[in-house]
Amino acid sequence: MLTECDWARSCRARYARRRMQKIDSNCVLALARAQGHDWIDEAAAQRIAAGATAAVAAVTASVQQFEPGLLVADSAEFLAILEALAEPGT
Amino acid sequence: MSFAQWTLVEVANAIRDRRVTSREVVETCLERIAEWQPSINAFTAVLADSALAAADRADAAVAAGLPLGPLHGVPLAHKDMFFHPSRRSSLGTRVAPPVGAADSSLLARLDAAGAVEIGTLNMCEFALGPTSHNGWFGDCRNPWHTDHIACGSSSGGGAAIAARLAFGGFGSDTGGSVRLPASACGVLGLKPTNGRVTLAGMMPLSPSVDVPGIFARSARDVARLLGVVAGRDARDPHSSGLPVPDYEAGVERGIAGLRVGVPRNYFLEGVASDVAERVEESLRVLVELGAVRVPISVPAPEHLTELSRVLVYSEAAAIHGPWLREHAHGYSPQVRVRAATGLAIPAAAYAQAQQLRPRILRRFVDAVFSRCDVLHLPTLGIPVPTLVETDVGGSAVMWEKIAVLVRCTAPFNYLGLPALSVPCGFTDNGLPTSFQLVGRPFAEATLLTIAHAYDGVTRSSRRAPSLPA
């Protein structure tokens, strides 16, 4: 019988697996056509799918490293954060 | 010794002190370019007439006793992607779209400091690629061994400065594009903190990740160039208004007691044994000079390169999308695929990668730079490969090959941190290798101090390649 904790862990794992599904070449071809890029053939779509899948997986994995919640940071604050973290005396 | 072998600061001082004229220096560089260019193809254009005219103006100013800038009369060369009113930048392609961008603020600052631009440098097409292949202008080749790549995308910067064809120059670094060619060619390469140097008038690849970087042959030279171009630019809203330190004066501070962090995880995994030996030797030199070695666990480094790619490919797809849609076959296969990868990255993933960036940066800085002053790691974890080994075009192994090359560099582009590649000897194939120093934001002065101390003992950046037979 699953404890509450096991159940939560199992849900998270299933959720993570579901979210890590690959972007395949059919998906890329559909997106490419929708954006007017008719030059993308099956071979190019496979390369693009591999790159996009790895990139999106990294985002998903990184989001999971932080406490669940809304991502409300303002990306425009990046320079201000860099300045705030500057070497003392800079 | 020919003054072509001098450092930038040495030749600037000699021009100022009238021991040599700018014309003599420029003519020497032009002669060397004529000798080397057929072998290494470092330039897309040589600006001989305008450089000689600028040299004569510089010499006239010296003779007249006029105030002289810190780069007065010194020949430099830059990646062919900084816009200038007198010419059209190639961007590494012959099918470049018309770019209506304003002139480069960086070039304007160099002009104001008295620099002489001697030519424009070869680069990977649209700055997308860590090798030095270019189907339009021809591949740029490594001056230490012309069968090998100069790395990229600022290929000509590493090759030209190593071959003593100019005294310094600028490239762009979005995933390692200055540090990798610097390492492959045996010169110093600095990626400054994002925001430290203006982007205005530089071809954008990914504006939130791009940063102009410096090639030079000594830490003091890097310091002088950075001091000229750093600081707030009203034309670039993402440039920092933090004060610009006197980098050049700071290089003499010494490194006793500085804590040098050595990553326990990720960055040293899979590093070739001869690269690891040279990097370890460089660490021992720093410890002999008084630095303290500190093992560091780096938080979650494995995703940083891919997070950077989310930003770079999304922004590149946005920039290239309209042109790519109509002129896809004007792009090389690899660049075409890489520029289009952003078409398949969901907008939400892009926004998340942007929103995570400050949080991940803060976590990284807190975990790492509370325990050390700099990180010390390889720049390129493998010996410099050949042109043939890396000529993969848009094939299935493309991502894998690229990942190996940028493994130790791209993470710091996502984090926006300053990183300096410093030559530290040669691998078994006779090609240069380097260690990389990474600091907290705006810690360029600390990186340069360490590099200066190291070079003072090893003279590692003074070795020059010989003209191929």
Side-chain angles (χ1 to χ4, degrees):
Chain A
M1 187 174 144
L2 286 176
T3 64
E4 194 172 335
C5 242
D6 290 338
W7 179 83
R9 259 199 298 274
S10 138
C11 280
R12 269 204 299 275
R14 272 184 283 130
Y15 180 60
R17 273 200 301 276
R18 191 169 66 242
R19 293 180 65 187
M20 299 288 277
Q21 283 181 351
K22 287 174 66 173
I23 296 168
D24 65 18
S25 57
N26 288 331
C27 174
V28 171
L29 286 168
L31 285 167
R33 300 287 179 268
Q35 295 172 85
H37 287 269
D38 297 331
W39 61 271
I40 296 178
D41 58 16
E42 175 64 27
Q46 285 180 10
R47 313 285 182 267
I48 291 170
T53 296
V56 171
V59 174
T60 306
S62 299
V63 168
Q64 289 169 353
Q65 290 168 4
F66 293 93
E67 289 297 308
L70 299 179
L71 279 177
V72 293
D74 181 355
S75 60
E77 289 173 2
F78 186 63
L79 178 61
I81 303 268
L82 281 169
E83 291 176 337
L85 295 172
E87 190 171 55
T90 300
Chain B
M1 183 172 73
S2 157
F3 49 71
Q5 306 297 337
W6 294 358
T7 67
L8 178 152
V9 169
E10 288 167 347
V11 84
N13 291 343
I15 292 169
R16 179 180 295 263
D17 298 342
R18 306 187 190 199
R19 285 180 280 128
V20 64
T21 65
S22 176
R23 174 171 267 271
E24 288 173 313
V25 174
V26 168
E27 283 178 341
T28 297
C29 287
L30 290 172
E31 287 165 12
R32 291 183 66 83
I33 293 169
E35 290 170 347
W36 276 88
Q37 176 69 2
S39 301
I40 62 173
N41 196 30
F43 284 79
T44 53
V46 180
L47 308 172
D49 292 343
S50 62
L52 288 168
D56 288 341
R57 288 194 298 275
D59 290 333
V62 173
L66 298 176
L68 307 179
L71 302 173
H72 190 85
V74 177
L76 305 178
H78 318 296
K79 192 174 188 177
D80 198 3
M81 58 183 278
F82 294 94
F83 302 123
H84 192 276
S86 69
R87 61 168 187 273
R88 179 173 171 150
S89 300
S90 77
L91 317 181
T93 173
R94 293 201 190 277
V95 293
V99 179
D103 303 331
S104 161
S105 290
L106 183 145
L107 291 186
R109 289 181 181 192
L110 294 173
D111 283 348
V116 173
E117 191 178 11
I118 200 165
T120 53
L121 295 174
N122 203 353
M123 57 184 281
C124 297
E125 185 181 331
F126 292 118
L128 255 173
T131 66
S132 50
H133 295 91
N134 186 307
W136 297 108
F137 290 91
D139 303 336
C140 181
R141 294 171 175 269
N142 195 303
W144 292 93
H145 195 310
T146 55
D147 288 344
H148 290 252
I149 61 171
C151 280
S153 65
S154 311
S155 327
I161 308 309
R164 277 57 178 168
L165 311 186
F167 288 87
F170 283 81
S172 67
D173 194 318
T174 306
S177 287
V178 164
R179 288 163 287 160
L180 290 171
S183 178
C185 298
V187 298
L188 285 88
L190 175 70
K191 173 221 168 284
T193 310
N194 287 56
R196 180 76 292 182
V197 179
T198 177
L199 293 172
M202 184 179 91
M203 182 206 81
L205 170 59
S206 170
S208 63
V209 186
D210 294 338
V211 61
I214 297 171
F215 293 98
R217 298 197 293 264
S218 79
R220 192 185 291 282
D221 290 357
V222 177
R224 180 164 295 192
L225 290 165
L226 182 61
V228 167
V229 299
R232 172 81 181 153
D233 177 12
R235 293 177 53 217
D236 177 3
H238 298 293
S239 60
S240 172
L242 283 185
V244 177
D246 185 341
Y247 296 111
E248 203 173 333
V251 299
E252 299 285 0
R253 283 181 303 183
I255 65 169
L258 275 178
R259 299 166 302 165
V260 177
V262 181
R264 284 195 184 102
N265 54 328
Y266 185 76
F267 291 108
L268 299 178
E269 293 164 13
V271 173
S273 59
D274 47 356
V275 174
E277 284 166 20
R278 298 295 90 74
V279 171
E280 176 62 28
E281 287 164 8
S282 73
L283 188 58
R284 283 201 292 271
V285 171
L286 297 181
V287 170
E288 286 167 12
L289 289 167
V292 180
R293 177 182 184 141
V294 181
I296 295 281
S297 292
V298 179
E302 64 276 12
H303 299 307
L304 296 175
T305 295
E306 290 296 341
L307 287 166
S308 184
R309 282 183 176 173
V310 172
L311 304 186
V312 172
Y313 293 143
S314 299
E315 294 177 10
I319 289 166
H320 284 268
W323 188 258
L324 186 61
R325 191 182 292 130
E326 305 300 329
H327 302 278
H329 294 287
Y331 289 70
S332 68
Q334 184 180 115
V335 173
R336 186 163 65 218
V337 166
R338 294 180 72 193
T341 296
L343 299 173
I345 294 174
Y350 171 76
Q352 287 174 335
Q354 285 285 19
Q355 291 187 323
L356 286 167
R357 201 176 183 199
R359 293 177 75 169
I360 291 175
L361 169 65
R362 191 180 288 281
R363 179 179 66 182
F364 189 95
V365 169
D366 288 347
V368 172
F369 295 116
S370 61
R371 302 196 53 229
C372 67
D373 298 296
V374 296
L375 274 181
H376 177 282
L377 62 156
T379 306
L380 175 63
I382 57 172
V384 180
T386 64
L387 284 152
V388 171
E389 288 166 340
T390 51
D391 189 12
V392 295
S395 70
V397 296
M398 170 187 78
W399 294 118
E400 183 189 328
K401 290 275 185 183
I402 293 168
V404 169
L405 293 171
V406 304
R407 179 180 172 89
C408 292
T409 53
F412 306 109
N413 294 87
Y414 183 70
L415 296 169
L417 297 172
L420 176 65
S421 181
V422 184
C424 64
F426 296 80
T427 50
D428 296 346
N429 64 0
L431 275 291
T433 190
S434 295
F435 66 90
Q436 183 179 199
L437 298 167
V438 180
R440 61 187 305 143
F442 299 96
E444 286 84 356
T446 302
L447 309 186
L448 292 167
T449 301
I450 296 171
H452 180 74
Y454 175 80
D455 200 43
V457 173
T458 62
R459 312 291 282 175
S460 66
S461 63
R462 291 301 184 108
R463 283 189 62 181
S466 302
L467 188 65

